[in-house]
Structures are given as C-alpha cells and as structure tokens.
Amino acid sequence: MIQVLDKSFEVFITKDEIQQEISSLAAKINDDYSDKDLVFLSVLNGAFMFTSDLMKNITLDCEVSFVKMSSYSGVESRGRVDELIGLGDNIAGKDIIIVEDIVDTGITIDKIISLLEPEGAASVKVCTLLYKPDAFKGTKRPDYIGFSIPNAFVVGYGLDYDEKGRNLDTIYQIREQKKQRNSMLNIVLFGPPGAGKGTQSERLIEQYGLIHLSTGDIFRANIKEETELGVLAKTYIDKGQLVPDEVTINMLKAEVAKHESPKGFIFDGFPRTIAQAEALDVFLKSVGTSITSMISLDVSEDELKVRLANRAKTSGRPDDANPDVIQNRIDVYKKETAPVKNYYESQDKWVMINGLGTIDEITTRLFAAVDAL
Ligand code: IMP
C-alpha cells in the first residue's frame, strides 16, 4: 500500500505485468504496420513512461512525436479553444498511432482526433495502456488496449494524482472508500498476557488518532484525584469487591465526555462480561456511536509461555516467572473473554489477528484488518 498526498493506493498492475503487456501490444503493432510510414504521437504528460517502454519494443522504422493538449479561453470566441501543442508538419499522408496512458471518458482522445483531422493523416489509430470501458462515453474506442480496468482512480507509471505519483514503476489503484462507519472507530482490543497488546494498541492509537481508555488506568486516576466516582469505586475495591458496572460505565462516560469530536476509542480491559458489553452499547448509542469491532490478538498458549518466560528475565515481574501463575493468567483470560468474544461475534464484529511474528508483522495485519472495517 502506498500513500500519494491524502489518498491510499494499493498495487493494481505490477511492473512485470506492465512490461509483458507492452511487449504483446508492440508485437501487434509491429505486425500491423510492417509496411507503413508510421508516426507515434505520444500524449504528454501521462504517456511518457508508456511511450518509452513501448518504443523499446517497436522494431519498425518509425517516428515518435510528443504532443500536449491545451485548452485556453479564446479572445474573440466564447468558451474554450482546444489546441494540440507540439504537432509538427510530419503528419500528412502518414499513419498515426496516438499513444495514451489512459482513456477514461474518451473526451480527450475525441478532441485530439478532431484536432488532427485537418492535418491529412493517412490513418489515425489509438493505443492506450489503460482503458476504462465503464467510464467511456467517446466515439472512438481505442484500437490497441493494454488493460481494460474498472472505473476506479489509478496512479503511477506516468499517471498522476494531482501531479504526484507519475514516477512510480507500478500502477496503483485507489483504495476503496471505507464503509461509512458512524464517523468514529471504536475498538475493543483483547489479547492474552504476553500477546503484545500494549505495543499494538500504542501503534493503533498513533495510526488512527484514537484515544486509549483503559478502565484500570481510569480507576487509578479517579481514585487518585478523589473524584466522586473514584471515591465510590474505592469503597468497593477496598472491600475486595468488583466495582459495579454502572460505576465503571459512568467513569467511562466522564472520560469520553472530555474529548471533543474524537476519532474513536480503544477500550482496553473493558468490557469483561456480556452485561458490561451491553451497557457499553447502550452508552455509546446514547452518544450516537457504537463499537466498530472487537479485535483479539491470537497467540498459542505454548508461545505465550515462552514469551512470558523470556520477559521474566528482563522485566523482573515475579508473575511472569512462575509457570503456575502464567497458566492461571492465561486460563482467566480465556474464561473471561470467551463470552465477550461470542457477544461481538454474534454481531459480526469480532476479528481475530494472528499474533505470531515480529511486532511489525502483527501491526501490518492489525492495520489491514482495521482498514477493512
Ligand atoms: P478522458 O476522460 O479519457 O478524457 O481522460 C482525461 C485524462 O484524465 C487522462 O488523459 C488522464 O490524464 C486523466 N485520468 C483519467 N483517469 C485517470 C486515473 O484513473 N488516474 C489518473 N489520471 C486519470
């Protein structure tokens, strides 16, 4: 995936595919024009790369010229006047192939053909690398077509997006607009101890501009600041009881209210039960949004144990070092998350990410999953 200005593009036609297609286009032209007096008219700017590669495969004794369409306001006439800049006097009686990078609506090519008419060419044909049949409204379908492509914006290999991207050796297609989510990206992130949830959530936050809502952090901050809710939560915690969902949700509400037009939230450590998930849904609905997805990082138990044992060597955390404690944490995680996972899965909102591999590999998978939401 690449970024050109404000848009993301993905690989659409590789450089090998382009070169292969160009060599077969050239072979056809070599065949068709073996006994002709041929002039290639390459239309700038977009066709410069295609023309260059095409010419390397043309074995005919031919000429190559470059033209540019220009449209200006006439002094006397009303409306716009089109002009073909760079057209020499080498056209009359010759066979012309106009070389285009892309024929989209076909308007440009129709204009070029009409501007060539007075020049008295023996024949005029069109060779284009790309053709968008669904967008085409012109009168002359190109005679030589490299690729017929869907009606989606492409960039690279001479084609630009706002003058950028022409130098790319591959053709990229614009990424489909994401489904219109209710404008916010709200993720519930799950991962067993050792799955790398902390690192990955930091990356998600940075990439998507999200706000991290960890219920553990919120409790601690509220208790420290002795907010009304914090004082209330502490009464339960001090008695060794779970803080009631209502109190937790109210803390989350207060936290969410602190942010003006947020891009979205990552919920970390919450919800842990179906009741909490339902309460979260009700709350988010009341502020006009919803959970976009629950994402869980999937790592096998054996791998988790290896990772935690390794972490223990450097973290000094006693809970990482004891195999019984590790097993217990994994068991608690599985027991806790299973019902919540089922809750989101039944709403078609559960996404599992393979949590094996390097941190970067996992991030790539995670971003791809989020982009597809
Ligand atoms: P037309 O619609 O066939 O007249 O094409 C007009 C011009 O629009 C082309 O020569 C390109 O410069 C530009 N164009 C059309 N579609 C694309 C695209 O997908 N990417 C980049 N430029 C495009």
Side-chain angles (χ1 to χ4, degrees), residues 8-269:
S8 302
F9 292 83
E10 50 203 2
V11 173
F12 182 48
I13 307 173
T14 64
K15 50 184 174 181
D16 287 348
E17 288 165 340
I18 296 171
Q19 295 308 325
Q20 225 173 342
E21 189 54 38
I22 288 179
S23 84
S24 69
L25 275 177
K28 275 186 224 139
I29 294 174
N30 287 332
D31 257 10
D32 294 351
Y33 287 81
S34 58
D35 53 353
K36 302 271 171 68
D37 198 358
L38 178 60
V39 180
F40 288 98
L41 270 192
S42 168
V43 184
L44 293 174
N45 293 328
F48 76 97
M49 235 189 237
F50 173 44
T51 307
S52 165
D53 284 338
L54 183 68
M55 289 310 116
K56 291 174 203 161
N57 289 270
I58 295 289
T59 50
L60 305 165
D61 184 16
C62 62
E63 292 174 44
V64 188
S65 277
F66 295 86
V67 292
K68 191 162 179 156
M69 270 288 294
S70 159
S71 174
Y72 62 94
S73 297
V75 181
E76 284 160 23
S77 63
R78 286 167 160 254
R80 321 249 341 139
V81 177
D82 297 313
E83 187 188 22
L84 210 45
I85 300 171
L87 197 61
D89 50 10
N90 57 343
I91 304 296
K94 306 256 177 87
D95 292 293
I96 309 296
I97 294 184
I98 301 168
V99 183
E100 265 284 25
D101 49 340
I102 187 163
V103 173
D104 184 280
T105 61
I107 293 168
T108 310
I109 212 71
D110 271 358
K111 277 188 188 153
I112 294 175
I113 291 169
S114 73
L115 289 168
L116 279 178
E117 235 156 53
E119 304 293 326
S123 71
V124 176
K125 295 219 163 158
V126 176
C127 171
T128 184
L129 181 63
L130 304 173
Y131 171 55
K132 292 182 180 169
D134 296 340
F136 188 69
K137 294 196 281 253
T139 52
K140 178 151 174 52
R141 188 181 179 275
D143 305 276
Y144 299 93
I145 296 171
F147 301 91
S148 288
I149 62 169
N151 190 9
F153 195 79
V154 286
V155 77
Y157 199 73
L159 292 140
D160 71 306
Y161 168 47
D162 221 357
E163 291 306 324
K164 299 280 189 206
R166 292 194 197 275
N167 55 312
L168 300 164
D169 61 6
T170 299
I171 296 173
Y172 295 83
Q173 189 176 56
I174 197 156
R175 296 202 64 166
E176 252 187 62
Q177 294 301 313
K178 284 174 206 145
K179 264 185 266 165
Q180 199 55 41
R181 47 171 98 93
N182 49 22
S183 77
M184 273 167 72
L185 176 63
N186 297 315
I187 291 174
V188 174
L189 188 64
F190 270 33
K197 189 171 60 129
T199 314
Q200 297 302 339
S201 65
E202 271 170 31
R203 291 184 171 198
L204 277 176
I205 289 159
E206 193 186 281
Q207 173 81 357
Y208 298 98
L210 306 180
I211 294 152
H212 189 216
L213 292 183
S214 148
T215 37
D217 290 349
I218 297 170
F219 280 142
R220 280 185 286 277
N222 274 276
I223 292 169
K224 193 167 161 225
E225 288 161 27
E226 296 182 343
T227 65
E228 204 178 315
L229 286 166
V231 172
L232 185 60
K234 197 167 179 298
T235 61
Y236 294 98
I237 293 169
D238 285 350
K239 281 186 260 170
Q241 293 170 352
L242 285 177
V243 179
D245 292 348
E246 201 195 319
V247 178
T248 312
I249 282 283
N250 282 337
M251 280 197 189
L252 278 177
K253 274 186 194 173
E255 213 52 41
V256 166
K258 283 183 192 167
H259 303 277
E260 214 174 295
S261 29
K263 287 188 178 161
F265 296 95
I266 291 192
F267 293 92
D268 183 352

